[in-house]
């Protein structure tokens, strides 16, 4: 039986509560909900990538990817992604950003995905994404 390993890339701050940014057990890697915070700077609070959905979404993808890489995974290993938006009016723009981003990744097959409108993110944050990866 394989051990469960917590993943926290150097680009991420220590989680503010008792959770991990990612957890790997065997060939399964779960990425916790990530937001568009810029890479961590010691002694400074987390800073959003910018006020726009595009800036935050691209940074959120980078944050998810950092955890995938920390666990030995790639976007091609992602089976499911869940996207949470704070504004239903951002849905079409997020889909454009999402499609363009994953077009560049040249995936074997895109992951299953769903989007939910959720208003519980901290002030100023527009998007959160989590992912489930299965490594071969």
């Amino acid at each position: 039986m394989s051990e469960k390993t917590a993943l926290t890339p150097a680009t991420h701050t220590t989680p503010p509560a008792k959770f991990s940014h990612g957890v790997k057990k065997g060939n399964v890697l779960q990425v916790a909900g990530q937001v568009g915070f810029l890479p961590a700077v010691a002694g400074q609070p987390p800073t959003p990538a910018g006020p726009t959905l595009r800036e935050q979404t691209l940074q959120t993808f980078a944050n998810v990817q950092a955890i995938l890489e920390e666990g030995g995974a790639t976007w091609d290993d992602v089976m499911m992604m869940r996207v949470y938006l704070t504004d239903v009016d951002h849905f079409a723009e997020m889909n454009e950003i999402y499609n363009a981003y994953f077009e560049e990744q040249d995936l074997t097959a895109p992951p299953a995905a769903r989007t939910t409108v959720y208003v519980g993110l901290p002030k100023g944050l527009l998007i959160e994404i989590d992912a489930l990866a299965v490594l071969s």
Side-chain angles (χ1 to χ4, degrees):
M1 187 174 249
S2 59
E3 285 190 34
K4 184 166 73 169
T5 305
L7 304 170
T8 301
T11 54
H12 288 53
T13 59
T14 300
K18 201 73 175 151
F19 68 88
S20 301
H21 286 294
V23 175
K24 182 178 177 184
K25 184 169 183 177
N27 68 337
V28 176
L29 191 161
Q30 176 66 56
V31 177
Q34 298 296 301
V35 294
F37 286 142
L38 293 168
V41 175
Q44 293 185 8
T47 305
T52 69
L53 181 65
R54 174 171 294 284
E55 291 167 305
Q56 289 191 25
T57 301
L58 293 175
Q59 185 62 52
T60 301
F61 284 145
N63 293 343
V64 171
Q65 184 173 346
I67 297 165
L68 291 171
E69 290 173 355
E70 184 84 4
T74 69
W75 285 114
D76 248 337
D77 296 311
V78 175
M79 301 296 292
M80 178 67 181
M81 288 182 45
R82 285 173 289 282
V83 178
Y84 304 91
L85 296 172
T86 59
D87 187 335
V88 71
D89 292 337
H90 289 159
F91 198 88
E93 182 182 1
M94 188 280 302
N95 277 341
E96 286 179 23
I97 297 164
Y98 183 99
N99 287 341
Y101 182 85
F102 284 107
E103 182 71 28
E104 292 176 9
Q105 301 304 313
D106 194 30
L107 301 177
T108 304
R114 73 168 306 224
T115 301
T116 300
V117 177
Y118 170 71
V119 295
L121 294 177
K123 185 177 168 93
L125 293 175
L126 306 173
I127 188 167
E128 178 177 336
I129 298 173
D130 69 58
L132 175 67
V134 178
L135 289 76
S136 10

